[in-house]
Amino acid sequence: MLTYSLDNIGSESLYLYLYRCIKNDIQDGTLSSGEQLPSKRSFARHLGISNITVENTYALLQSEGYIYSIPKTGFFVSDLSMLPEKPNSNMHGRFLSNNMPVPPGVQEKKFFADFANNYAAPESFPFSVWAKLMRETISIKQNELVQNPPCGGVMELRLAICEHLRQFRGMEIFPEQVIVGAGTEYLYNLLVNLLGREKIYAVETPGYRKISKIYQINGACCKFIDMDSCGIRIDKLLSLKADIAHISPSHHYPSGIVMPASRRYELLSWAAENKNRYIIEDDYDSEFRFAAKPMPTLQSIDQTEKVIYINTFTKSLASTIRISYMVLPRNLLRRFFSKFSFFSGTVSNFEQYTLAKFIHDGYFEKHINRMRNYYRSIRDRLLNEIAASSLAAHSTITEETAGLHFILELDTRLPDKILVQKAAENGIHISCLSEYYHTTLGAPKHTIVMNYSGISKDKIPEAIKRLADAVGYK
Amino acid sequence: MLTYSLDNIGSESLYLYLYRCIKNDIQDGTLSSGEQLPSKRSFARHLGISNITVENTYALLQSEGYIYSIPKTGFFVSDLSMLPEKPNSNMHGRFLSNNMPVPPGVQEKKFFADFANNYAAPESFPFSVWAKLMRETISIKQNELVQNPPCGGVMELRLAICEHLRQFRGMEIFPEQVIVGAGTEYLYNLLVNLLGREKIYAVETPGYRKISKIYQINGACCKFIDMDSCGIRIDKLLSLKADIAHISPSHHYPSGIVMPASRRYELLSWAAENKNRYIIEDDYDSEFRFAAKPMPTLQSIDQTEKVIYINTFTKSLASTIRISYMVLPRNLLRRFFSKFSFFSGTVSNFEQYTLAKFIHDGYFEKHINRMRNYYRSIRDRLLNEIAASSLAAHSTITEETAGLHFILELDTRLPDKILVQKAAENGIHISCLSEYYHTTLGAPKHTIVMNYSGISKDKIPEAIKRLADAVGYK
């Protein structure tokens, strides 16, 4: 049976040591693909350690895809060539496969380039500045750090956000209106609890499916509202009796539509007609506008206290910063705090103070500017490569001036499903615009949403060549 | 008009500089209590700065209680002798008072000692260790830090929690069962979304009112279940048709009851009778057991996968650590991940990795041991002082061996309300057991819940003297 010496593990914990031993053996081929591992119980007995140690080791190996299980049979070494480059830390799918005889490698194909998701570039986060500010926070804020974070967030951060919104979005608000929370999903939940789950929540189609799913999970009724070239359709809001409209007027994903002023005022007037109506303005990527200054927010032109503005630092800064915020109209503040003031905040004081200083000292602005240039260079490189490729003669590019994606319409007869599949066979992950529609009826075909924030520059030429090959252009 | 030179503010932001100027003038008496401040607009014009700067300055001063507003009249300097020692960063009450002519100082009385709330002792958090682990995290985890935190939490932390629960609570679980979230309130919300808001949630009476409020806010029906000396009553669970029982069997707050084994098995058998039934085991302060080892958790004796275990680091570590977790039974995992796996985690990777290392390297255990000793010494001092005081002859103390509070039953005819009021007049904040009951019918009278975790040792003799005086014992 598989044997490892446990004499020299030093201070490392047993299960991690064992994990590393087995991982090494898998990586260097000592344990080969498909080989069965000893059962947990017999392995534990053999090594003279507890069952739970082996369980934890196997669980970790399995979560990272190195091994997989077949129920009532045992654990087996995965085919490493099927694994994603970096073991994915999101392991739900795999754990569920614990009960299903599907080796994890099969579910998660390794792509050469992924245009279907928007990742923040890992190397972009200013770790050294962040570390410096954290040190400062820990040395001067010890008293504040051991207090419960207040429900709305710590004052310094709310003031910094006010200052930022005033400077970059022309919004004149009080810090008390800013509510800080651990991610937009949490804020949506607060909003459903605040506005009422019996209300009808309208979301855009096409759009992020995630938004409607969150409303539904929170027990609210969600309706899909068609868009025209100006954004969400008011007539549909009326006919579907919507109360709350959740929209992205500054830059709609994935269509890229920027809502013109006329539709904005129409929408505000729709909201003003009924006391139950509110607009949730999702301004998630307004920081990355390349062409001109972004349009003023709906919030800033609203005189009737009907707009709830929402944004996040997770997209503009880094995924590890789980800090989002919303700006409530003043007339909702009393209702909000009388309902939720007993809630503790969901973001640690520590990160709130650090982020406040990051914004206040100008690092956030610098970071945004740097990232805007970086993303622009990625986009330019991508557009150049497409122009020089066989795709050029058979495609149209639109909506390339804002956000972190553009739209690539292909002249092809291939159905979208086949398109995605053929690209995948060539190692390219793409998603089609049609996937963002609530129903595929009337959805545009052969149109790819090209998300580029996570693509590394040196891969672009090869990625475009593979995409062109996949579509069959010569 | 009030004038400050803004020439030498250096790199500080204007509103913070102005805030400091005014605060100084209030603290040294240059601006005296009740004095009206200039209106925002005229002050801004006078100083040649923008309205929003003055607004932010006033908002910050108001949030910290230095000034208060009377609608349509203006801003006034507070009576500083009415302010709490440390300006409270939780400013909702005050902002709401923006629309109400109530000076903030009046609402938040300054107490000499607060036995009504359980605060973690600020000086207790091991900041230097935490800072060291953060530095390590930032230097070795850069790749992981820019990934989205997975819905259940990062693997290292879940493994560390498993290890901790195995060692200290005898629980043998898989890391996949551990779901990490930003505070227990967020986890309750996930549970309502997971188990269904149409279910009937049973909470204990007496008990924390917060728990039922959170269920209700999330749209679930909540029923209050009476307790007997063994804990929650099964007959009441049945007659009120409860589906989910939310309980604290290891140490009930505030009664202090530890559920005996017989009731535990009865409860498990109640849950096993119906597929909709689950038990939420809230183990919030099991770390602070003085007498003996805490009883095994319900989770660890449950063979039927009916117990959801929940705990938090906010209480055992520090308020700034917004990290709680629950342990799902395996049969709920598939439902959980198929519903929520698209959610991002609510705790930053950064703090998750830091906490994982804190636990894994043994610092958490050390901290718990140190705090247990510290709290024990506070309790002993308190019990000694009571024994030596005039309270001794007129009171009975119970439930003093676990948790961070004990029960002090007084021989008095004063109604609870008067008792609380008289104590407050003497600078002592207390709460009575009756306040934790859903109805006061049958609730014990003249019984104080003495929370002591936030009391500093040197204040104890004086605090007890004042309490005895308040009750009128000689």
Side-chain angles (χ1 to χ4, degrees):
Chain A
M1 189 183 294
L2 205 55
T3 301
Y4 299 104
S5 158
L6 305 175
D7 296 340
N8 300 309
I9 65 167
S11 67
E12 193 172 27
S13 88
L14 205 50
Y15 74 86
L16 278 180
Y17 180 79
L18 192 58
Y19 154 81
R20 237 180 291 278
C21 292
I22 299 176
K23 191 172 89 171
N24 286 342
D25 280 356
I26 294 175
Q27 284 175 329
D28 70 12
T30 310
L31 287 167
S32 54
S33 162
E35 195 169 324
Q36 182 162 10
L37 293 173
S39 81
K40 293 181 212 167
R41 202 173 292 257
S42 65
F43 196 27
R45 211 168 29 227
H46 177 67
L47 295 175
I49 59 179
S50 77
N51 287 348
I52 193 81
T53 303
V54 179
E55 279 188 2
N56 280 338
T57 301
Y58 279 14
L60 186 52
L61 286 165
Q62 191 178 10
S63 83
E64 297 193 343
Y66 288 105
I67 64 173
Y68 61 94
S69 77
I70 297 179
K72 294 180 193 161
T73 313
F75 288 85
F76 298 85
V77 176
S78 302
D79 179 357
L80 285 200
S81 67
M82 303 292 280
L83 274 183
E85 239 169 318
K86 254 181 247 156
N88 188 337
S89 57
N90 181 319
M91 22 70 80
H92 323 128
R94 299 215 199 80
F95 179 70
L96 294 177
S97 77
N98 217 351
N99 304 320
M100 293 185 300
V102 183
V106 172
Q107 301 166 301
E108 296 191 25
K109 202 166 162 6
K110 172 180 155 185
F111 289 106
F112 175 75
D114 183 354
F115 292 103
N117 292 294
N118 255 331
Y119 303 107
E123 60 278 17
S124 69
F125 184 68
F127 276 111
S128 59
V129 170
W130 193 258
K132 185 189 78 150
L133 297 179
M134 284 200 313
R135 276 197 303 278
E136 287 177 29
T137 301
I138 225 168
S139 71
I140 61 173
K141 290 283 186 190
Q142 303 212 346
N143 263 323
E144 289 84 349
L145 289 182
V146 292
Q147 316 278 329
N148 271 330
C151 163
V154 305
M155 197 57 183
E156 267 96 331
L157 178 57
R158 295 157 93 181
L159 281 164
I161 289 172
C162 280
E163 196 61 28
H164 169 74
L165 289 177
R166 190 176 66 78
Q167 225 170 318
F168 294 91
R169 300 303 266 131
M171 288 163 62
E172 303 252 325
I173 52 163
F174 281 96
E176 285 83 355
Q177 293 174 263
V178 178
I179 308 296
V180 170
T184 43
E185 293 150 22
Y186 175 72
L187 294 178
Y188 296 168
N189 163 250
L190 280 184
L191 284 175
V192 169
N193 287 340
L194 177 70
L195 302 173
R197 72 192 77 248
E198 75 287 358
K199 301 286 189 301
I200 293 173
Y201 290 75
V203 298
E204 299 157 317
T205 174
Y208 271 121
R209 298 304 286 272
K210 196 168 167 172
I211 297 170
S212 56
K213 277 170 82 177
I214 293 169
Y215 284 121
Q216 283 157 350
I217 280 179
N218 281 293
C221 169
C222 202
K223 297 217 169 147
F224 295 90
I225 308 284
D226 294 331
M227 301 179 69
D228 58 23
S229 62
C230 296
I232 201 167
R233 284 176 53 179
I234 311 279
D235 59 330
K236 292 281 182 184
L237 282 176
L238 288 168
S239 65
L240 290 171
K241 299 193 186 343
D243 298 301
I244 320 288
H246 185 123
I247 56 171
S248 301
S250 7
H251 182 237
H252 176 260
Y253 186 89
S255 75
I257 291 172
V258 177
M259 188 183 280
S262 54
R263 178 64 53 88
R264 289 172 187 241
Y265 284 108
E266 269 185 275
L267 203 56
L268 287 172
S269 115
W270 164 82
E273 273 165 25
N274 185 307
K275 74 172 175 39
N276 285 331
R277 290 184 188 159
Y278 283 95
I279 298 164
I280 298 172
E281 177 178 27
D282 198 338
D283 203 33
Y284 71 101
D285 73 350
S286 59
E287 292 84 2
F288 302 112
R289 224 40 53 77
F290 300 136
K293 270 217 147 186
M295 278 192 75
T297 60
L298 262 181
Q299 197 280 341
S300 61
I301 61 168
D302 168 33
Q303 298 295 318
T304 52
E305 313 249 317
K306 282 297 194 179
V307 177
I308 297 160
Y309 175 92
I310 219 167
N311 207 336
T312 179
F313 292 100
T314 301
K315 267 218 176 356
S316 55
L317 206 43
S319 289
T320 192
I321 312 294
R322 305 311 297 170
I323 308 185
S324 301
Y325 62 93
M326 58 184 174
V327 177
L328 292 178
R330 296 191 204 183
N331 64 1
L332 279 178
L333 284 184
R334 182 176 292 268
R335 202 200 298 181
F336 184 87
F337 285 116
S338 67
K339 211 161 175 178
F340 303 120
S341 65
F342 76 97
F343 273 40
S344 298
T346 43
V347 182
S348 82
N349 284 350
F350 190 73
E351 299 208 325
Q352 292 193 53
Y353 284 117
T354 305
L355 178 57
K357 211 160 161 42
F358 188 84
I359 300 171
H360 183 263
D361 292 358
Y363 295 111
F364 184 57
E365 187 183 348
K366 257 183 234 158
H367 177 72
I368 291 292
N369 289 337
R370 201 161 53 84
M371 292 313 291
R372 198 187 292 118
N373 289 334
Y374 171 77
Y375 290 135
R376 189 195 279 122
S377 74
I378 296 284
R379 180 204 58 178
D380 291 349
R381 182 73 190 266
L382 207 44
L383 294 177
N384 287 340
E385 285 297 331
I386 292 175
S389 78
S390 59
L391 285 167
H394 308 280
S395 65
T396 319
I397 288 170
T398 49
E399 304 299 349
E400 73 272 26
T401 59
L404 303 173
H405 73 279
F406 57 81
I407 303 290
L408 179 69
E409 194 184 340
L410 298 173
D411 177 19
T412 175
R413 291 192 165 179
L414 295 176
D416 285 5
K417 264 200 177 163
I418 303 294
L419 211 54
V420 170
Q421 190 187 317
K422 279 184 174 289
E425 283 164 9
N426 279 10
I428 307 295
H429 195 195
I430 57 167
S431 64
C432 286
L433 191 49
S434 54
E435 297 170 36
Y436 293 90
Y437 280 75
H438 177 50
T439 66
T440 47
L441 203 78
K445 289 173 191 167
H446 330 303
T447 305
I448 307 177
V449 182
M450 296 282 282
N451 297 284
Y452 53 77
S453 67
I455 303 292
S456 72
K457 229 180 245 187
D458 52 338
K459 282 189 168 180
I460 292 178
E462 173 71 11
I464 294 304
K465 192 185 160 301
R466 290 188 183 205
L467 183 60
D469 287 350
V471 197
Y473 298 142
K474 290 275 142 44
Chain B
M1 189 183 294
L2 204 56
T3 300
Y4 299 104
S5 159
L6 305 176
D7 295 341
N8 300 310
I9 65 166
S11 66
E12 194 172 25
S13 89
L14 205 48
Y15 74 85
L16 278 180
Y17 181 79
L18 192 58
Y19 154 81
R20 237 179 291 279
C21 293
I22 300 176
K23 190 172 89 170
N24 286 343
D25 279 357
I26 294 175
Q27 284 175 330
D28 69 12
T30 309
L31 288 167
S32 54
S33 162
E35 194 169 325
Q36 182 163 12
L37 293 174
S39 80
K40 292 181 211 165
R41 202 173 293 255
S42 65
F43 197 28
R45 212 168 30 227
H46 177 67
L47 295 176
I49 58 180
S50 77
N51 288 348
I52 192 82
T53 302
V54 179
E55 281 188 0
N56 279 339
T57 301
Y58 279 16
L60 186 53
L61 286 165
Q62 191 177 8
S63 83
E64 296 193 344
Y66 289 103
I67 64 173
Y68 61 94
S69 78
I70 297 180
K72 294 183 192 158
T73 313
F75 287 85
F76 298 85
V77 176
S78 302
D79 179 358
L80 284 200
S81 67
M82 304 292 282
L83 274 182
E85 240 169 318
K86 254 179 244 157
N88 188 336
S89 57
N90 180 319
M91 22 70 81
H92 324 127
R94 300 216 196 78
F95 179 71
L96 294 177
S97 77
N98 218 353
N99 303 320
M100 293 185 301
V102 183
V106 173
Q107 300 168 301
E108 296 192 23
K109 202 167 162 7
K110 172 180 153 184
F111 290 105
F112 175 76
D114 183 353
F115 292 102
N117 292 294
N118 255 331
Y119 302 107
E123 60 277 16
S124 69
F125 185 68
F127 277 111
S128 59
V129 170
W130 192 257
K132 186 190 79 151
L133 297 180
M134 284 200 313
R135 276 197 302 278
E136 287 178 27
T137 302
I138 224 167
S139 71
I140 61 173
K141 290 282 186 189
Q142 303 213 345
N143 262 323
E144 289 84 349
L145 288 182
V146 292
Q147 316 277 329
N148 271 331
C151 163
V154 305
M155 196 56 182
E156 267 96 332
L157 178 57
R158 296 158 92 180
L159 281 165
I161 290 171
C162 280
E163 196 62 28
H164 169 73
L165 290 176
R166 190 176 66 78
Q167 226 170 319
F168 293 92
R169 300 302 267 133
M171 290 163 61
E172 303 253 326
I173 52 165
F174 281 96
E176 286 82 355
Q177 293 174 261
V178 178
I179 308 295
V180 170
T184 42
E185 294 151 22
Y186 175 73
L187 294 178
Y188 296 168
N189 162 250
L190 281 184
L191 284 176
V192 169
N193 288 339
L194 176 69
L195 303 173
R197 73 191 77 250
E198 76 289 356
K199 300 287 189 302
I200 293 174
Y201 291 76
V203 298
E204 297 156 318
T205 175
Y208 271 120
R209 299 304 286 273
K210 196 167 167 173
I211 297 170
S212 57
K213 277 170 83 177
I214 293 169
Y215 284 122
Q216 282 156 351
I217 280 178
N218 281 293
C221 170
C222 202
K223 298 219 169 147
F224 295 90
I225 308 284
D226 294 330
M227 300 178 71
D228 57 23
S229 61
C230 296
I232 200 166
R233 285 176 52 179
I234 310 278
D235 59 330
K236 292 281 182 182
L237 282 175
L238 287 167
S239 66
L240 290 170
K241 298 193 186 346
D243 298 301
I244 320 288
H246 185 125
I247 56 171
S248 302
S250 8
H251 182 235
H252 176 259
Y253 186 89
S255 76
I257 291 172
V258 177
M259 188 181 281
S262 55
R263 179 64 53 88
R264 289 173 188 240
Y265 284 109
E266 269 185 276
L267 203 55
L268 287 171
S269 116
W270 163 83
E273 273 165 24
N274 184 308
K275 74 172 173 39
N276 285 330
R277 290 185 188 157
Y278 283 95
I279 298 164
I280 298 173
E281 178 178 27
D282 198 338
D283 202 32
Y284 72 101
D285 73 350
S286 60
E287 292 85 1
F288 303 113
R289 224 40 54 77
F290 302 135
K293 272 218 147 188
M295 279 193 73
T297 61
L298 263 182
Q299 197 279 343
S300 61
I301 61 168
D302 167 35
Q303 297 296 317
T304 53
E305 313 248 319
K306 281 297 193 177
V307 177
I308 297 161
Y309 176 91
I310 217 166
N311 207 337
T312 178
F313 292 100
T314 300
K315 267 221 177 349
S316 54
L317 206 42
S319 288
T320 192
I321 311 294
R322 306 310 297 170
I323 308 185
S324 301
Y325 62 92
M326 57 184 174
V327 177
L328 293 177
R330 297 192 201 182
N331 65 2
L332 279 178
L333 284 184
R334 181 178 294 266
R335 204 201 298 179
F336 183 87
F337 285 116
S338 67
K339 211 162 174 178
F340 303 120
S341 64
F342 76 98
F343 273 38
S344 298
T346 44
V347 182
S348 81
N349 284 350
F350 190 73
E351 299 208 326
Q352 291 194 52
Y353 284 117
T354 305
L355 178 57
K357 214 163 159 37
F358 189 83
I359 300 171
H360 183 261
D361 292 358
Y363 295 111
F364 184 56
E365 187 184 347
K366 257 183 236 159
H367 177 72
I368 291 292
N369 289 337
R370 199 162 52 84
M371 292 313 291
R372 199 188 293 118
N373 289 334
Y374 171 76
Y375 290 135
R376 188 194 281 123
S377 74
I378 295 284
R379 180 204 59 177
D380 291 348
R381 182 74 190 265
L382 208 44
L383 295 177
N384 287 339
E385 285 297 330
I386 293 175
S389 78
S390 60
L391 284 167
H394 308 279
S395 65
T396 319
I397 289 171
T398 48
E399 303 298 349
E400 73 274 24
T401 58
L404 304 173
H405 74 278
F406 56 82
I407 303 290
L408 180 68
E409 195 185 338
L410 298 173
D411 177 18
T412 176
R413 289 189 168 186
L414 295 175
D416 286 5
K417 263 198 178 164
I418 305 294
L419 211 53
V420 171
Q421 191 186 314
K422 280 185 173 286
E425 284 164 8
N426 280 10
I428 307 294
H429 195 194
I430 56 167
S431 64
C432 286
L433 191 49
S434 55
E435 297 170 36
Y436 294 89
Y437 280 75
H438 177 50
T439 66
T440 47
L441 204 77
K445 289 171 191 168
H446 330 304
T447 305
I448 307 177
V449 182
M450 295 283 282
N451 298 283
Y452 53 78
S453 66
I455 304 292
S456 71
K457 228 181 247 186
D458 51 341
K459 282 190 170 180
I460 291 178
E462 173 71 10
I464 294 304
K465 193 186 159 300
R466 290 189 184 203
L467 182 60
D469 287 350
V471 196
Y473 297 143
K474 289 276 143 47

